[in-house]
Each structure stands twice: as C-alpha cells, then as structure tokens.
C-alpha cells in the first residue's frame, strides 16, 4: 500500500497558537517546511489543496522564504479561509499535493478556530 510523503506544515508561521478567525476573505498563510532531506522546490504547486474543502492557493504560485530560520527554504502559500472549509470545532487542518515526480505529499498542523 502506498503511503504519501509526510511534510512539515506550519499554519500561520511565527504564530504558535495558530488562531484562525472564521472570516470568508481572510487569508491563511501556510508554510510547507523544507528540510535537508526535503526540497520544497520539488513540489508541484498546481496540485496543492488545503483544508476540508480542498481550497486552492490564492496567488499564482507560492514563494520561498525561510520562515523558521533553519537556513532551509520553505514554501509559503496563501488560502482564503472561506474556501478552506475550516469550521467551528476544527482542531487541525491538512494540506495535500504532489511532487513533480507525481509522489503524493500530506501535512497537518494544529489550529484554534474562533468565530468572527
């Protein structure tokens, strides 16, 4: 049975509480963390979906930035809260996608949801 590659996900980089306010047009910043063993440049950005409703990214493509200060580039993407399907009571959120070689990736992070 095939298992996807697990990636490290950081919802709202720099904010350890990961508080998401349920406002439809609010952007949720998500970073896929690179490691010495995982190059985020290998991600097929067109394949990335986020949250229960499998939202697609807002901008044409993500940008590379070292959000966690480890010296390895991370991929930063933006999604609209209203398109993500995140709702009251959700305690984690998942991102799915593929690498350029067609292997699947998956990553999750804990969140705290607050109504408007």
């Amino acid at each position: 049975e095939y298992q996807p590659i697990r990636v490290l996900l950081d919802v709202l980089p720099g904010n350890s509480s990961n508080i998401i306010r349920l406002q439809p047009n609010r952007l949720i910043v998500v970073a896929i963390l690179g490691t010495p063993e995982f190059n985020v440049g290998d991600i097929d950005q067109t394949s990335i979906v986020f949250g229960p409703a499998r939202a697609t990214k807002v901008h044409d493509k993500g940008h590379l930035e070292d959000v966690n200060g480890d010296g390895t580039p991370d991929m930063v993407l933006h999604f609209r809260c209203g398109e993500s399907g995140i709702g009251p009571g959700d305690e984690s959120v998942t991102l799915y996608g593929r690498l350029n070689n067609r292997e699947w990736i998956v990553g999750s992070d804990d969140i705290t949801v607050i109504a408007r």
Side-chain angles (χ1 to χ4, degrees), residues 20-33:
I20 294 179
R21 294 190 184 280
L22 295 181
Q23 297 170 327
N25 289 320
R26 180 177 288 269
L27 291 183
I28 300 172
V29 180
V30 177
I32 303 171
L33 303 180

Side-chain angles (χ1 to χ4, degrees), residues 70-102:
D70 67 355
T72 304
D74 307 306
M75 182 173 291
V76 180
L77 305 160
H78 300 87
F79 301 91
R80 287 205 195 287
C81 184
E83 296 173 4
S84 71
I86 294 171
D90 287 349
E91 296 180 352
S92 69
V93 64
T94 302
L95 174 143
Y96 301 92
R98 285 189 163 188
L99 300 178
N100 292 321
N101 69 5
R102 309 300 290 157

